[in-house]
Amino acid sequence: MSSRQRRKSLSIFRPPLQPLTPIRDEQPDSAPAATLKKRRPNSYTDDESPMSSPGGQKIERADSKRSLSRLMTKGRTRGTPKEGRPSSVFGSLRSLSSLKDEDENSAPSPSSMHSAASAIPDVAAGLLIHHGPLPEVSGVFRRRCPYLVLTDVHLTQFKSQGRASEMFPDIAGPHGPVRANMRHSRLSSSSSIHELQGSSDGYYSIPLVHVVAVYKLDDGEPYFTLEVAHLSDNTSSASTMTLHIHDPGESDGWLTAIRSAASKARLTSSTFFPRNLVEYTARSLEQEQDYHPDHFQMFKVVQRANKSGKRSSSDDLTKLTSKVCILAVGMYKIHIVPLPKSARSPSSSSLSELNGTSHGIVTLSSVNIQTFDDSFQLWFRVPFRPPHALHLAALCVQEVATCIRQAAEYLRPEWLEQPFAWIAPSSLIDDALLPLAPEEDDNLAFDRTLTAYCAGYGLDTSNIRYTVNYTCGDAPAFELLPTASVQRARYSSMELLAIFRALRYNETFHTIRFGGINLDLLNGLCDPHGWEHTPWTRRSGEPVDLGEQQRTSLLIQEVRALALKSRRLRRLDFSYCFTRRPSSAGAAPDNGCGVCEALFPLCVKQYTNVDWVVLDGNPLADVDIDYLYAAAIEKSCHFRAIEVGYCGLGDRHLEIVLQALSHQGETLETLSFCGNFARFQPLVLREYLDQLSFIRSLDFSNTYRTSGAEPLFELNTLCRWKLAELSLSGTSINPETLAVLAEYLRDPQSNSLKILCLNQCGLTGGNIKDLCHAMTRSTPRQLHLFISENSLEQGHARLVEAVEQSLTPSQVTMEMVEYQEEKNYRMLLQAWAQNTSTVYLNMSKVALPLAACTDTAAALEAMLANNEALHILNIGGEETHLESAIFGPKLNQALAGLKKNRVLKALHVEHQKLGLPGANTLASILEENSTLIELHCACNGFSLQAFTVIVSSLEHNTTLLYLPYMEEDREAEFKKWDKEFEGSKDNGLRGLTTPTKATVNTMRRSLGAAMPGPLQIANRPIGAATKQKRQYTQQQADRLLRSINTKWDKEMAIMQGFLQRNYILAHSPHGLAAAKRAATENERPTTGLSGLTNVQLGSNEATPLGEPDRQLGAGMGAASGEEDEGIEAVEDDGELETTLMMRDKLQLN
């Protein structure tokens, strides 16, 4: 830099300065005085039109040629100073040379002239809307007076008013009169000022189409602050312009003017997001697993700094800086995606460098849209956490709010009232949302809503299992199943909340069952951080008066929400959901299970249509009984059932419940008191039962009664009802009660009875015959009779007579019957062979003194071959650590009778230890039987070879539709191999003794028929094998187990293909061609007789070390032991597989 270009420094030792000219230029003499005295509008909101010029004339389009020529000319010559004091104090301290330097620096260079010539038409070619001076930016030696100009295209900041007047002739020059009451505003933006100082054109311009938001900023300073954020669509570079204004009216004027102009420019512009920025945002949503092309929208927003008060340290500067980012609305979440770094293109930015945030749409708790600027707030809250706020601003705030509201409506389409506060201008509140595209969603988009809550709460949807029952009473019924997670057996509190809230407002389900699901986590649990999900109103919007609900537990709130928000919900099942025990006397107050407190007040006030409540298996406290009594005595509740079985009720509580339920005599349909501690008094019970007129189901199982000769029920009471189910299992039945029951079965009023449970009632075979004779009609009685765990061997001859004479009803279950003499069981089998009235028979878990003999097996075979009435037969066994109830090895012989059966459709033979011989028997049956549809044969000790044999038989069977995957047998198979490997161990190695000569000979005889060619156990003599003990590594053992697992999976896939083929044949009359294609695709390359070969082939496929030409058992190595170590490893692996599979063959035989 030359000395002339260097700024002079101030020195007190210099000679006296020469008279200087003032810094401020004088007005030209040609300027009319009247024009300079015209009043200029104070702001955009003044009475004068904002489109008027300072001179009061209408603004025309700026003449770009004249502005260009004026900008390219040299600056005006400074006027001579007037008499008296100069206009600027600092002017007297400046040297003449410094003034010359400034004049030279102000002259535009050729390059700057060229850039100015190319940029000025864009900036100046606009309609002038608002303009005003900015306060002087002063230094020690120099000061500037910036000037801000707003057109309908740009927001431009000039270095001086003179520069602005050169480009816009309608703006007065710098010496023109300025209103005395005009307050100056100050511009401060680090990025903007930097660009301004580096510009040689004398101005800095922002296209209005690049403006992202204009908003007020509360930074704790003693003036009014505005921020203008903008983003270049081409370079994706963003910056913020900050205006500090002292006058509130001037601040509002600039805010209104910039917002209005920017909105109009955005609406008239046809610019879109760059493709690379869209791909960048989509990839960030894919990383969150929330991208769906039909549910993806993005907006440019500003994440505002939450500035309040003064900054505590310089470290907070970064945190308090507003930044432009992308707000993307995905399928289930709202994402704040930061812009890619300006140094690289958006497409090359790494997603690992992102530091954005994502919030579930269903966690939205509040939307607050300001009316005076572009700012808005989004509040999100996850249960048990304080709310989190996003302070944002966007010029398209209305579009953002509408999009978020539309997404919330899509995820919760059945919710008539969204659970978040909507604070917005009335015009936005009244805007109608676009109609949702019709989608084929089952259960009114329940899956969609549940998935949204899981995404918002950070849950794994695969852990939640449920089913929908369409055949039960009050169908369809939602039934929650146990969690699919193997690490934990219970649902977490967040998962339960997601399920409850997904069910809210859903009117698909008339019944909701949580039976067997532990809800202890929600009982007594509160969320102190918010109450947006608390049900304050009914579905219709009518407020409910239930006290301070925010103090209640989450369980009470969610149960109330289910009952209040659905008009079609009729039944709620909470059986066995709580493990709590009532507190003892003198302990802390017991709040009960929570369900009674939640539901029964709603029933009293008729806020819900729920009239069936199942509380079985939940110990009830005094407070629960109080809520139940208060609701049951109100006839307006119209209860159909309140089931309190196994609730730990004593005599006092039982009498209270009976007394209360007697008021529901006109509507009560079900009465259940099973499993309680109370003892019934027949006379007192009769008094309450006489007041009930429409009982359909009566359950007094496992109850106690006082001693006496009185019958438990009166005949008149039973005949007055139209019972469909009567259960007395586990209750002692005296002869008087049995006589009343027989008389009731003879009465035509009992024709409606469909289920009669008399398990474990101490009945004999003679009693059963009396009951069967009483229920006999001209046609077989359509009734399911349960007589399990009774002493049927007493009076067994009479029971046999009833079976032979076909007096039994259509369905009979007689499980867990013990026989002291096998001949009695054989006689019963012979009687069932002649029976023609029973179509369903369950004789599982029958205990015999020893394994069934040949005669008994022949009787079962004749029954299977000759019975022409049975459609479903269960002869499964039971095996526990203490006892075993199985038929025995002769069952394989008996099952052969199914080859001649042409009626049976379903057979259950679980837990009978069939093994490989039984698998061969079942395979032969499936190849010949053409009526069997279901075969339940799991838990029979089937190995991989046995499973392969059964699956292979499906190739010739076209009627079977169900066959289990044998997962229990697979686990048993693995456990067996683990025991085989638990031999001798040496330094982590597992040994397996090589079979002896006798064992090998047995193997030869066993596998001779299945394996063609000579059988080779090793390439060395047998004697050498008996003298040593081979060692095997854990890797080799794991390799074999993996091979078995892989082969099992392959067999499962083949089985599924065969069953799918059969299903097509059974349900599609035109699906024969498709069935043939399925059969061709699933045709196995080998037959079922070569199952052992398939195992070896599967092992070779999974083991890359296997030799292509090795035979079964080959590869143990030569006796010399001189082979290479790598070859020895291969041979050891082959020996391991061969030995284990042959030993398995021997054990199964």
Side-chain angles (χ1 to χ4, degrees):
M1 177 181 277
S2 62
S3 59
R4 292 181 59 84
Q5 293 176 341
R6 187 179 299 112
R7 189 179 299 278
K8 307 300 183 185
S9 59
L10 181 64
S11 176
I12 61 176
F13 300 104
R14 290 183 177 178
L17 299 175
Q18 298 297 326
L20 301 178
T21 59
I23 292 178
R24 184 178 296 275
D25 295 338
E26 301 228 358
Q27 286 288 346
D29 296 338
S30 60
T35 304
L36 298 177
K37 292 183 181 180
K38 283 288 184 179
R39 178 179 180 270
R40 188 175 60 180
N42 185 33
S43 67
Y44 183 77
T45 57
D46 285 346
D47 295 335
E48 295 186 15
S49 172
M51 307 304 293
S52 60
S53 65
Q57 301 297 328
K58 183 177 180 180
I59 296 178
E60 300 292 342
R61 288 281 179 180
D63 190 349
S64 59
K65 295 183 179 180
R66 182 174 59 179
S67 302
L68 178 61
S69 60
R70 300 181 70 177
L71 183 61
M72 296 228 176
T73 58
K74 191 175 181 180
R76 295 191 183 93
T77 304
R78 299 183 183 275
T80 57
K82 294 183 179 181
E83 297 182 358
R85 188 174 180 177
S87 59
S88 174
V89 177
F90 290 99
S92 61
L93 301 179
R94 303 178 65 183
S95 63
L96 293 173
S97 59
S98 65
L99 293 176
K100 293 179 181 179
D101 293 342
E102 182 177 11
D103 292 339
E104 292 179 3
N105 293 334
S106 62
S109 62
S111 60
S112 64
M113 292 175 61
H114 175 72
S115 60
S118 60
I120 285 176
D122 294 335
V123 176
L127 191 65
L128 188 64
I129 296 179
H130 197 49
H131 59 89
L134 304 176
E136 297 178 352
V137 180
S138 302
V140 179
F141 305 104
R142 188 176 180 180
R143 58 183 179 179
R144 297 190 306 272
C145 299
Y147 202 83
L148 194 64
V149 177
L150 173 66
T151 68
D152 61 346
V153 181
H154 291 83
L155 176 64
T156 309
Q157 174 196 347
F158 293 90
K159 288 184 177 180
S160 62
Q161 185 176 357
R163 288 283 186 176
S165 62
E166 291 174 358
M167 187 172 294
F168 296 95
D170 296 311
I171 299 178
H175 300 287
V178 182
R179 290 182 52 185
N181 60 351
M182 171 74 72
R183 293 187 179 270
H184 289 233
S185 59
R186 184 181 67 188
L187 171 68
S188 61
S189 175
S190 57
S191 60
S192 299
I193 292 178
H194 175 74
E195 295 176 11
L196 175 62
Q197 291 176 350
S199 174
S200 60
D201 299 333
Y203 68 92
Y204 173 68
S205 180
I206 302 175
L208 293 183
V209 294
H210 293 172
V211 173
V212 178
V214 185
Y215 52 92
K216 293 184 177 181
L217 186 64
D218 183 13
D219 54 0
E221 300 293 341
Y223 33 67
F224 304 93
T225 305
L226 301 180
E227 277 193 355
V228 181
H230 55 95
L231 173 66
S232 174
D233 292 338
N234 297 328
T235 62
S236 297
S237 60
S239 59
T240 304
M241 176 184 293
T242 306
L243 299 174
H244 299 287
I245 304 175
H246 295 279
D247 182 64
E250 187 72 12
S251 173
D252 294 340
W254 276 109
L255 177 65
T256 306
I258 298 175
R259 287 186 65 195
S260 177
S263 299
K264 293 179 180 179
R266 188 179 67 87
L267 294 176
T268 57
S269 174
S270 60
T271 58
F272 300 95
F273 285 102
R275 180 179 180 85
N276 53 2
L277 185 59
V278 175
E279 294 179 353
Y280 166 82
T281 307
R283 285 191 296 116
S284 65
L285 266 66
E286 286 181 350
Q287 193 178 36
E288 293 288 333
Q289 299 180 356
D290 192 43
Y291 175 75
H292 192 283
D294 296 335
H295 302 275
F296 169 71
Q297 295 193 51
M298 54 186 294
F299 307 91
K300 294 181 289 186
V301 299
V302 178
Q303 192 168 6
R304 299 184 293 115
N306 189 17
K307 300 179 181 180
S308 59
K310 295 184 178 181
R311 298 170 182 169
S312 58
S313 63
S314 60
D315 297 337
D316 298 333
L317 291 176
T318 305
K319 299 178 181 179
L320 295 177
T321 303
S322 300
K323 57 182 180 181
V324 179
C325 52
I326 298 297
L327 185 146
V329 181
M331 184 74 175
Y332 304 110
K333 295 181 181 180
I334 297 174
H335 308 264
I336 300 298
V337 182
L339 295 175
K341 291 185 178 180
S342 58
R344 61 184 67 175
S345 63
S347 59
S348 63
S349 299
S350 174
L351 289 178
S352 61
E353 301 176 358
L354 296 178
N355 193 21
T357 58
S358 300
H359 303 274
I361 297 177
V362 295
T363 64
L364 187 66
S365 61
S366 177
V367 178
N368 189 358
I369 302 175
Q370 304 298 332
T371 58
F372 49 83
D373 62 0
D374 295 334
S375 63
F376 64 99
Q377 295 84 34
L378 300 179
W379 292 83
F380 301 90
R381 198 182 74 83
V382 178
F384 314 113
R385 299 177 190 174
H388 176 76
L390 290 179
H391 300 274
L392 306 173
L395 207 65
C396 55
V397 57
Q398 293 189 358
E399 298 177 13
V400 174
T402 303
C403 177
I404 294 176
R405 186 178 171 188
Q406 190 88 18
E409 294 283 350
Y410 172 77
L411 296 179
R412 290 180 290 219
E414 296 301 311
W415 286 54
L416 302 181
E417 181 182 359
Q418 295 293 333
F420 55 82
W422 183 263
I423 306 174
S426 57
S427 59
L428 186 59
I429 295 177
D430 297 336
D431 286 347
L433 298 178
L434 296 176
L436 297 176
E439 295 188 11
E440 296 182 1
D441 288 340
D442 295 335
N443 308 319
L444 296 179
F446 171 75
D447 284 343
R448 185 197 312 169
T449 308
L450 180 59
T451 306
Y453 272 105
C454 290
Y457 294 167
L459 305 175
D460 185 3
T461 56
S462 62
N463 290 335
I464 301 176
R465 301 190 307 129
Y466 73 95
T467 184
V468 180
N469 191 342
Y470 294 94
T471 60
C472 63
D474 293 330
F478 171 87
E479 298 178 0
L480 184 62
L481 303 177
T483 176
S485 176
V486 296
Q487 289 81 11
R488 50 188 173 86
R490 300 181 178 181
Y491 287 104
S492 64
S493 57
M494 298 287 283
E495 290 172 336
L496 291 174
L497 288 178
I499 295 170
F500 269 103
R501 291 170 183 178
L503 288 170
R504 192 182 298 191
Y505 280 101
N506 195 307
E507 292 194 333
T508 301
F509 310 115
H510 298 178
T511 300
I512 296 178
R513 290 196 176 103
F514 295 97
I517 304 300
N518 190 282
L519 301 179
D520 287 328
L521 291 176
L522 295 183
N523 189 17
L525 184 63
C526 299
D527 188 359
H529 299 288
W531 305 282
E532 63 272 8
H533 279 87
T534 303
W536 305 105
T537 61
R538 301 177 63 182
R539 183 182 179 90
S540 60
E542 177 187 354
V544 295
D545 182 15
L546 297 172
E548 298 182 358
Q549 292 196 73
Q550 62 272 19
R551 298 181 180 273
T552 58
S553 67
L554 287 175
L555 176 67
I556 296 176
Q557 295 180 13
E558 297 302 328
V559 173
R560 284 180 176 175
L562 289 181
L564 287 171
K565 303 301 183 179
S566 178
R567 297 167 299 181
R568 298 183 179 180
L569 183 62
R570 302 294 304 276
R571 186 181 307 196
L572 283 173
D573 186 352
F574 293 97
S575 57
Y576 299 93
C577 290
F578 305 97
T579 59
R580 52 167 293 279
R581 291 293 180 265
S583 58
S584 58
D590 194 341
N591 295 326
C593 65
V595 176
C596 298
E597 181 180 355
L599 281 178
F600 292 130
L602 303 181
C603 298
V604 171
K605 297 185 178 183
Q606 300 183 21
Y607 288 156
T608 179
N609 292 329
V610 175
D611 54 10
W612 194 307
V613 183
V614 182
L615 300 173
D616 293 340
N618 302 312
L620 301 181
D622 292 340
V623 62
D624 296 322
I625 300 299
D626 293 341
Y627 280 114
L628 189 154
Y629 181 84
I633 61 176
E634 297 290 338
K635 292 185 178 181
S636 59
C637 292
H638 304 293
F639 284 119
R640 292 186 297 151
I642 298 180
E643 302 183 26
V644 288
Y646 297 94
C647 291
L649 301 181
D651 294 341
R652 185 177 64 87
H653 285 165
L654 182 61
E655 187 174 357
I656 292 175
V657 174
L658 278 173
Q659 181 181 359
L661 292 179
S662 63
H663 293 79
Q664 304 294 325
E666 300 298 326
T667 57
L668 200 65
E669 298 179 4
T670 298
L671 196 62
S672 175
F673 292 102
C674 57
N676 287 296
F677 304 137
R679 299 177 66 89
F680 287 103
Q681 298 182 11
L683 296 179
V684 177
L685 178 63
R686 190 182 311 160
E687 179 182 352
Y688 292 118
L689 295 182
D690 288 341
Q691 303 181 38
L692 306 177
S693 304
F694 297 97
I695 295 296
R696 299 292 181 268
S697 175
L698 191 63
D699 190 356
F700 278 79
S701 302
N702 299 307
T703 56
Y704 303 93
R705 53 158 294 173
T706 57
S707 60
E710 302 87 359
L712 188 58
F713 308 106
E714 287 289 337
L715 178 61
N716 295 335
T717 303
L718 294 177
C719 292
R720 188 171 66 251
W721 300 332
K722 290 187 178 181
L723 285 177
E725 179 178 357
L726 176 60
S727 179
L728 299 175
S729 298
T731 302
S732 179
I733 299 179
N734 56 9
E736 290 76 14
T737 304
L738 187 62
V740 171
L741 188 58
E743 289 295 328
Y744 169 68
L745 291 175
R746 291 190 183 93
D747 194 284
Q749 191 72 9
S750 68
N751 291 339
S752 59
L753 189 65
K754 302 301 179 183
I755 299 177
L756 178 59
C757 297
L758 300 175
N759 299 325
Q760 203 176 359
C761 292
L763 302 179
T764 65
N767 299 142
I768 301 301
K769 180 184 178 181
D770 295 336
L771 294 177
C772 291
H773 189 274
M775 67 179 66
T776 302
R777 300 292 189 269
S778 59
T779 58
R781 183 70 178 269
Q782 299 299 317
L783 183 143
H784 195 163
L785 177 63
F786 292 84
I787 51 175
S788 303
E789 300 184 75
N790 285 297
S791 303
L792 301 184
E793 203 168 13
Q794 299 180 13
H796 192 268
R798 299 190 61 192
L799 175 62
V800 172
E801 293 177 3
V803 174
E804 287 180 344
Q805 298 173 8
S806 301
L807 302 179
T808 54
S810 61
Q811 303 177 57
V812 177
T813 297
M814 44 185 304
E815 295 180 331
M816 303 180 68
V817 178
E818 295 185 5
Y819 281 93
Q820 300 297 328
E821 296 182 11
E822 184 179 345
K823 65 176 183 178
N824 293 328
Y825 181 59
R826 183 164 58 247
M827 293 172 57
L828 184 62
L829 292 177
Q830 296 171 353
W832 281 116
Q834 304 177 24
N835 185 277
T836 59
S837 61
T838 300
V839 297
Y840 172 88
L841 177 60
N842 186 347
M843 298 178 60
S844 61
K845 306 175 186 178
V846 174
L848 300 177
L850 296 174
C853 63
T854 305
D855 295 338
T856 304
L860 179 58
E861 181 180 4
M863 170 189 166
L864 295 176
N866 301 327
N867 186 285
E868 298 180 356
L870 284 176
H871 291 171
I872 301 175
L873 176 63
N874 189 340
I875 53 175
E878 182 183 27
E879 186 177 6
T880 62
H881 295 287
L882 300 179
E883 59 182 356
S884 178
I886 61 177
F887 192 89
K890 300 297 182 180
L891 181 59
N892 296 323
Q893 171 190 342
L895 292 176
L898 289 174
K899 296 180 180 180
K900 302 178 182 179
N901 190 290
R902 296 296 179 263
V903 180
L904 194 67
K905 300 182 182 300
L907 175 66
H908 295 256
V909 286
E910 299 97 338
H911 299 280
Q912 287 288 2
K913 291 186 176 181
L914 295 179
L916 182 57
N920 291 325
T921 302
L922 293 178
S924 62
I925 292 172
L926 292 177
E927 290 178 355
E928 298 185 24
N929 188 285
S930 60
T931 58
L932 202 61
I933 297 177
E934 298 181 10
L935 178 59
H936 302 261
C937 56
C939 304
N940 273 295
F942 289 148
S943 63
L944 176 59
Q945 181 183 1
F947 185 39
T948 304
V949 169
I950 295 177
V951 174
S952 299
S953 65
L954 293 178
E955 183 178 356
H956 308 286
N957 184 289
T958 59
T959 58
L960 194 71
L961 300 180
Y962 174 81
L963 187 68
Y965 286 143
M966 316 289 186
E967 291 292 347
E968 298 84 357
D969 296 85
R970 189 206 296 232
E971 295 296 331
E973 179 85 349
F974 287 159
K975 291 180 181 179
K976 184 185 64 175
W977 294 132
D978 289 338
K979 291 181 180 180
E980 291 288 342
F981 286 120
E982 288 177 357
S984 62
K985 298 181 181 179
D986 185 12
N987 295 329
L989 298 178
R990 295 185 175 184
L992 183 64
T993 304
T994 307
T996 63
K997 181 176 181 180
T999 306
V1000 172
N1001 292 333
T1002 306
M1003 292 178 182
R1004 293 181 187 273
R1005 290 194 300 268
S1006 303
L1007 302 179
M1011 301 304 303
L1015 178 64
Q1016 296 181 358
I1017 297 298
N1019 295 329
R1020 55 182 178 269
I1022 296 298
T1026 60
K1027 296 180 182 179
Q1028 59 180 340
K1029 189 176 183 180
R1030 304 291 298 180
Q1031 301 292 337
Y1032 303 96
T1033 63
Q1034 179 67 41
Q1035 182 180 5
Q1036 293 172 329
D1038 292 341
R1039 184 181 302 169
L1040 174 62
L1041 294 180
R1042 286 196 301 269
S1043 299
I1044 295 176
N1045 190 49
T1046 302
K1047 184 60 180 176
W1048 203 291
D1049 290 337
K1050 290 181 179 179
E1051 295 297 329
M1052 289 172 55
I1054 295 173
M1055 182 188 72
Q1056 187 175 5
F1058 285 137
L1059 296 180
Q1060 182 180 4
R1061 177 204 62 186
N1062 296 349
Y1063 181 85
I1064 295 175
L1065 291 175
H1067 295 84
S1068 179
H1070 304 288
L1072 183 59
K1076 290 182 179 179
R1077 288 195 301 268
T1080 303
E1081 295 174 358
N1082 293 280
E1083 185 177 0
R1084 60 173 63 251
T1086 55
T1087 62
L1089 295 178
S1090 59
L1092 188 58
T1093 305
N1094 290 334
V1095 174
Q1096 182 65 23
L1097 291 175
S1099 301
N1100 290 340
E1101 291 174 0
T1103 307
L1105 299 177
E1107 298 175 358
D1109 58 345
R1110 73 177 180 181
Q1111 300 175 1
L1112 177 65
M1116 297 182 69
S1120 61
E1122 297 178 356
E1123 293 82 353
D1124 185 72
E1125 293 182 358
I1127 299 176
E1128 180 67 19
V1130 175
E1131 294 170 346
D1132 288 346
D1133 181 55
E1135 176 190 6
L1136 174 67
E1137 297 177 0
T1138 303
T1139 305
L1140 290 181
M1141 284 183 289
M1142 285 190 290
R1143 291 187 62 184
D1144 177 46
K1145 176 70 175 178
L1146 291 176
Q1147 292 174 1
L1148 292 176
N1149 285 338

